[in-house]
Amino acid sequence: MMDLVTLARFQFGMTTVFHFFFVPLSIGLAFSVAILETLYVVKKDEMYKDMAKFWGNIFLLSFAVGVVTGIIQEFQFGMNWSEYSRFMGDIFGAPLAVEALLAFFMESTFIGLWIFGWDKFNKKLHATFIWLVSIGTILSALWILAANSFMQNPVAYQINEATNRAELTSFFGLLKNHQLWLEFPHVVFGAFVTGGFVIAGCSAWKLMKKQDTKFFKKSMQFGLIIGLIGSVLTMGAGHAQMNAVANDHPMKFAAMEGIYDDTTGDSAPWNIIAGIDTKNQKTDWEIAVPAMLTILGGKDKFQGMDSVNADLHKQHDEKFGKEMDYYLPVKTLFWGFRFMAGFGTLMALMAIVGLLLLRKDKLQKMNWLLGLFVAGIAFPFISNSTGWIITEMGRAPWTVYGLFTIADSVSPSVTQGSLIFSNIVYFALFLFLGFVMVLYSKRYLKKGPYYVSPSEARKESIDPFSKEAF
């Protein structure tokens, strides 16, 4: 039977990963739809209007599910992590309040105007609405990441000794946290990749069925362009973040690379794959690229987990005790990083190949490759989720790095029974929400962009099953 801390961590991790399926999807699709409607306004091509409407409806589905899962996630701060909320509330409250009052208010208001305003506003004003929605989704990410960045790298705070609470000393100091400006572009560019590959993958599915080929060929080309640009930008942001991790969180960096001993020599190799023996704390074998770790980490020599563990004990034994375990789940971080980077690289290559074949009018004739792009819908979600898992699990044993531990963060009143029950309920709810999202998205895709409902067909004297209706 799992203990309270493990059950609470599993519940929050499950909620976060599921919620994070829809956050980058919403950001990426909103941005893509905004570009499509802008192209419609500039080029006056009705195809772009149809594309904006069609992919905009997929965005609305993802946004709705994302809101529900986000609310569940916030509830857990009070239910399972009240001690963390007490310690962190003064810091966490400010960016979350701004996110709710400004960014989410902007999103929800202008989504309504965009949905119902197609025939009520001029083209430029209507396109402005979806751009404001897109900006709102990006700002929501900014404020959430401002809070998360403090957990990774505490800044602009003081500890109230009387209450043992962290108190914010400068709101702008919180925003100047260098960790924020490493996380934020990485997440947002990754969201653009997600939106692009979902559009491309769904379009590939329709091209395999030879349905609305002109519309979906253009959609796929657009999705792959967004996906390629996003992939390149994500790689650049990820490289900058790797350099910072090597300096700020040496234990996380060493675990991601499976390094137990300090590196030696003028440059460090990067292990593509390795056999890691966590029991004896060593790496049995590896296949490595010479000097690549030096390029990724931005320096020649790196501490291994053994020496980092010794340093952390020297720094924190007085406050947290000698029994504290600073070693991380090495295999999870090591393979998680390779899944994240591997799928990110694969998507960039797929986008290049796809665009070249579309240009030569060959891709729609290659069903096996279209099938790969359909499977590729999952790739950005795998990459996003593994990246988030690395970020959060790499902070252990703290919820707030160097200040507050995971063990001290759990609510004192929570029980094992309540956690088991709520885990089951949430898991069932997430399965249901995921099923509904996939079901309605699939139904919508099957109808295609030119579907006319029977009621609309009657009004227009159109046979709802004729060519004009589809």
Side-chain angles (χ1 to χ4, degrees):
M1 183 70 71
M2 291 189 286
D3 58 29
L4 289 175
V5 174
T6 304
L7 284 167
R9 291 184 73 189
F10 176 81
Q11 184 175 115
F12 196 79
M14 172 178 61
T15 308
T16 301
V17 168
F18 189 78
H19 177 58
F20 204 62
F21 286 163
F22 301 99
V23 170
L25 179 58
S26 295
I27 294 172
L29 286 178
F31 180 73
S32 296
V33 172
I35 293 176
L36 287 168
E37 188 166 354
T38 302
L39 288 170
Y40 162 62
V41 172
V42 173
K43 295 190 173 186
K44 298 179 175 58
D45 184 342
E46 289 289 325
M47 177 78 74
Y48 287 116
K49 179 181 179 181
D50 296 337
M51 289 165 68
K53 282 187 171 184
F54 185 80
W55 299 112
N57 284 333
I58 301 291
F59 156 69
L60 294 174
L61 283 171
S62 69
F63 182 81
V65 177
V67 169
V68 174
T69 54
I71 291 171
I72 293 172
Q73 187 179 37
E74 291 192 8
F75 280 158
Q76 290 181 33
F77 289 123
M79 295 188 301
N80 300 340
W81 302 98
S82 62
E83 288 301 304
Y84 163 80
S85 299
R86 182 192 61 78
F87 176 81
M88 182 73 172
D90 189 68
I91 311 284
F92 219 48
L96 285 183
V98 175
E99 190 269 338
L101 296 174
L102 176 63
F104 184 70
F105 180 78
M106 179 188 292
E107 293 169 61
S108 54
T109 299
F110 290 105
I111 277 178
L113 289 170
W114 183 78
I115 293 171
F116 300 109
W118 279 100
D119 301 319
K120 296 178 175 62
F121 300 98
N122 67 55
K123 295 176 183 178
K124 292 181 180 179
L125 181 58
H126 191 267
T128 302
F129 295 153
I130 192 62
W131 273 112
L132 289 171
V133 172
S134 177
I135 292 168
T137 63
I138 293 170
L139 287 176
S140 284
L142 174 68
W143 297 115
I144 296 298
L145 290 172
N148 183 267
S149 296
F150 180 88
M151 296 163 67
Q152 310 291 339
N153 180 51
V155 296
Y157 75 98
Q158 64 182 13
I159 299 296
N160 186 322
E161 299 294 341
T163 60
N164 190 31
R165 296 177 72 243
E167 296 179 350
L168 188 64
T169 57
S170 169
F171 182 74
F172 291 104
L174 187 68
L175 294 180
K176 289 192 290 185
N177 190 343
H178 73 270
Q179 185 67 37
L180 170 61
W181 299 107
L182 294 167
E183 283 189 25
F184 177 63
H186 199 189
V187 168
V188 171
F189 295 149
F192 294 166
V193 178
T194 305
F197 262 78
V198 166
I199 291 173
C202 292
S203 299
W205 184 62
K206 294 293 283 186
L207 288 175
M208 288 176 70
K209 294 178 175 294
K210 305 292 189 290
Q211 296 173 350
D212 298 307
T213 54
K214 184 178 178 181
F215 179 92
F216 285 107
K217 181 184 174 183
K218 198 163 189 174
S219 288
M220 187 170 187
Q221 184 179 42
F222 173 81
L224 290 178
I225 290 171
I226 295 294
L228 178 59
I229 294 171
S231 294
V232 173
L233 293 173
T234 302
M235 289 177 188
H239 175 66
Q241 196 166 12
M242 279 288 287
N243 288 340
V245 168
N247 293 314
D248 297 345
H249 297 162
M251 180 62 85
K252 181 195 291 188
F253 187 89
M256 286 165 57
E257 302 307 331
I259 304 170
Y260 280 100
D261 301 318
D262 295 354
T263 62
T264 58
D266 295 332
S267 60
W270 179 65
N271 296 330
I272 302 174
I273 57 175
I276 299 170
D277 183 354
T278 53
K279 183 178 180 181
N280 296 306
Q281 295 183 342
K282 65 177 184 176
T283 301
D284 292 330
W285 58 268
E286 66 277 328
I287 298 175
V289 179
M292 183 57 72
L293 189 58
T294 294
I295 296 172
L296 291 173
K299 55 185 181 180
D300 293 328
K301 296 183 180 180
F302 300 90
Q303 282 185 288
M305 284 177 275
D306 293 339
S307 62
V308 175
N309 181 61
D311 288 348
L312 289 171
H313 274 290
K314 288 178 184 177
Q315 294 174 33
H316 300 293
D317 275 0
E318 185 176 344
K319 182 175 181 180
F320 296 107
K322 295 181 179 180
E323 68 280 359
M324 183 67 74
D325 182 12
Y326 294 107
Y327 284 98
L328 297 170
V330 182
K331 290 183 179 180
T332 301
L333 269 65
F334 180 85
W335 290 110
F337 177 75
R338 277 141 191 82
F339 270 87
M340 177 188 69
F343 277 105
T345 304
L346 176 59
M347 285 186 287
L349 294 174
M350 286 174 63
I352 292 170
V353 172
L355 287 169
L356 289 174
L357 291 173
L358 279 171
R359 185 181 179 87
K360 295 179 180 180
D361 207 30
K362 291 182 177 180
L363 182 60
Q364 59 268 40
K365 302 170 187 176
M366 304 168 69
N367 271 10
W368 68 270
L369 190 53
L370 289 172
L372 178 60
F373 279 101
V374 174
I377 293 172
F379 295 171
F381 295 101
I382 295 170
S383 194
N384 291 336
S385 298
T386 50
W388 196 249
I389 288 168
I390 291 167
T391 300
E392 297 305 290
M393 294 188 73
R395 195 175 57 246
W398 294 290
T399 46
V400 183
Y401 191 82
L403 296 181
F404 205 65
T405 67
I406 295 170
D408 291 331
S409 301
V410 180
S411 302
S413 58
V414 73
T415 64
Q416 203 170 50
S418 67
L419 282 171
I420 292 171
F421 175 75
S422 56
N423 267 306
I424 293 170
V425 170
Y426 286 153
F427 186 74
L429 176 62
F430 295 153
L431 279 179
F432 173 74
L433 288 173
F435 173 76
V436 169
M437 173 72 190
V438 172
L439 177 66
Y440 276 91
S441 296
K442 188 175 179 181
R443 283 185 180 179
Y444 188 69
L445 282 169
K446 278 186 174 181
K447 290 177 180 178
Y450 303 116
Y451 171 77
V452 177
S453 69
S455 60
E456 289 174 326
R458 281 195 296 272
K459 290 177 186 176
E460 300 174 19
S461 300
I462 297 173
D463 178 359
F465 301 101
S466 68
K467 289 183 179 179
E468 290 83 359
F470 290 89

